[in-house]
Amino acid sequence: MQLIDGKATAKAIKGEIRAEVEELTSGGQRPPHLAAVLVGHDGGSESYVAFKIKDCEEVGFRSSLIRFEDDVNERVLLEKINELNNDPELDGFIVQLPLPDHINEQKLIEAIDPGKDVDGFHPVNVGKTVIGLPSFVSATPYGIVELLKRYKVETSGKNCVIVGRSNIVGRPMSILMSQKSINATVTVAHSRTRNLEELCASADILIAALGSPGFIKANMVKEGAVVIDVGTTRVPSTETKSGFRLRGDVVFDEVASKCSLITPVPGGVGPMTRVSLLLNTLKAAKENI
Ligand code: GUN
């Protein structure tokens, strides 16, 4: 079994991004600029956004954090999105999800200029991804594809089972894995899937993205499979300073010995998701999508 080291891979990619930023700025261009809109004070969202800002600093990007309280009016958010869409000093922005119940998330996503939608959530970007046009691809699937490439995982003709069909991970992941550059045979499993254990155990590449800690056990994994654990559920812990730790969807200790390659949690997919947002922002700064 070999560990897929997302942390080290993300660090290497950050070095590549930093070098590109230096090249851009030495040519007289301003550094790439990412903005994050954060509504409320949810602990998870606060820490994800803080990481995004820190990542920007590390690679020489400019970053802006725009905060609103929980009770913000939807119209106010739509006005801010309109302002960001028209800001020539800004290359891309994200609206951190989830949003409070009184805000229509989809309406906000669709208000974002697809050319600045570095999350890749706008239907225009999703549609372009589906038909293989240049687009912003959602950060987690983008990061996983990059990991598979860098670890030289053979994907052509392989059976890939994706557990989870979210708009952010499972569904776009299935699109990427079936593209001609990857050529996997893809099955998307979900809560109504029958014989899930057998299906997972038939996978050459198993991608667990259901957000249920410890769901994938040894009997669901084929000998020699590549296992990608997307789960990052925050569970209370007395062992960490923050009072939380991350748990994956895979029971790592019993599954690892059966795999040829496996991502740990933390240190697998998570760092690659973060670096993919930087890659999308760099792309936004360099070209018109
Ligand atoms: N919430 C959880 N993941 C994400 C993400 O990738 N982007 C945004 N905007 N919100 C999220």
Side-chain angles (χ1 to χ4, degrees):
M1 181 278 291
Q2 191 193 351
L3 211 57
I4 298 184
D5 190 340
K7 197 172 168 189
T9 309
K11 191 174 172 201
I13 296 173
K14 274 187 185 169
E16 294 163 17
I17 297 172
R18 202 178 313 115
E20 280 209 50
V21 172
E22 277 160 21
E23 205 177 303
L24 286 178
T25 51
S26 65
Q29 205 172 315
R30 65 163 172 75
H33 180 192
L34 171 73
V37 176
L38 177 58
V39 179
H41 299 273
D42 170 76
S45 294
E46 287 272 3
S47 72
Y48 289 135
V49 167
F51 278 133
K52 288 169 186 176
I53 301 288
K54 180 169 160 274
D55 289 339
C56 284
E57 273 169 27
E58 273 178 38
V59 297
F61 287 5
R62 227 186 109 192
S63 63
S64 303
L65 172 57
I66 301 151
R67 282 182 172 278
F68 292 93
E69 289 304 319
D70 273 320
D71 59 355
V72 64
N73 194 293
E74 185 177 277
R75 186 182 39 78
V76 172
L77 290 175
L78 287 167
E79 278 167 12
K80 177 52 78 175
I81 288 172
N82 188 42
E83 187 189 315
L84 298 176
N85 283 342
N86 291 302
D87 182 349
E89 299 293 311
L90 184 66
D91 298 300
F93 65 98
I94 63 145
V95 178
Q96 187 65 28
L97 307 178
L99 292 166
D101 288 345
H102 69 281
I103 309 283
N104 182 337
E105 227 164 71
Q106 193 59 25
K107 194 169 169 187
L108 257 57
I109 289 170
E110 291 184 27
I112 298 172
D113 175 349
K116 288 193 175 184
D117 168 39
V118 286
D119 257 334
F121 292 171
H122 192 287
V124 166
N125 279 313
V126 178
K128 283 183 172 178
T129 303
V130 169
I131 58 174
L133 293 177
S135 60
F136 293 117
V137 176
S138 180
T140 300
Y142 186 4
I144 292 170
V145 166
E146 202 57 38
L147 273 183
L148 295 175
K149 280 189 192 155
R150 289 187 184 230
Y151 275 82
K152 300 193 170 27
V153 172
E154 179 61 74
T155 54
S156 185
K158 299 292 182 186
N159 286 332
C160 174
V161 174
I162 299 165
V163 189
R165 57 180 162 184
S166 70
N167 288 345
I168 296 184
V169 185
R171 202 174 297 283
M173 192 75 238
S174 70
I175 300 300
L176 296 180
M177 292 304 286
S178 69
Q179 272 172 351
K180 282 202 167 163
S181 56
I182 298 185
N183 287 313
T185 304
V186 181
T187 308
V188 181
H190 46 77
S191 52
R192 301 285 174 92
T193 297
R194 293 189 195 157
N195 304 324
L196 182 62
E197 294 188 358
E198 290 89 333
L199 182 66
C200 290
S202 73
D204 301 306
I205 301 168
L206 178 61
I207 302 178
L210 67 162
S212 175
F215 186 87
I216 304 286
K217 303 185 176 61
N219 67 325
M220 300 168 83
V221 175
K222 178 159 111 178
E223 203 70 48
V226 175
V227 173
I228 305 292
D229 189 351
V230 184
T232 49
T233 306
R234 277 158 55 98
V235 295
S237 169
T238 50
E239 286 159 31
T240 59
K241 221 167 46 183
S242 64
F244 290 98
R245 72 183 181 93
L246 294 183
R247 274 200 69 198
D249 288 346
V250 176
V251 184
F252 184 91
D253 290 343
E254 62 176 65
V255 167
S257 60
K258 292 185 88 175
C259 304
S260 57
L261 283 162
I262 184 168
T263 58
V265 176
V269 173
M272 292 301 292
T273 296
R274 284 168 56 184
V275 91
S276 298
L277 179 63
L278 298 176
L279 286 169
N280 275 344
T281 305
L282 181 64
K283 190 153 132 182
K286 282 169 49 178
E287 57 199 82
N288 283 327
I289 294 284

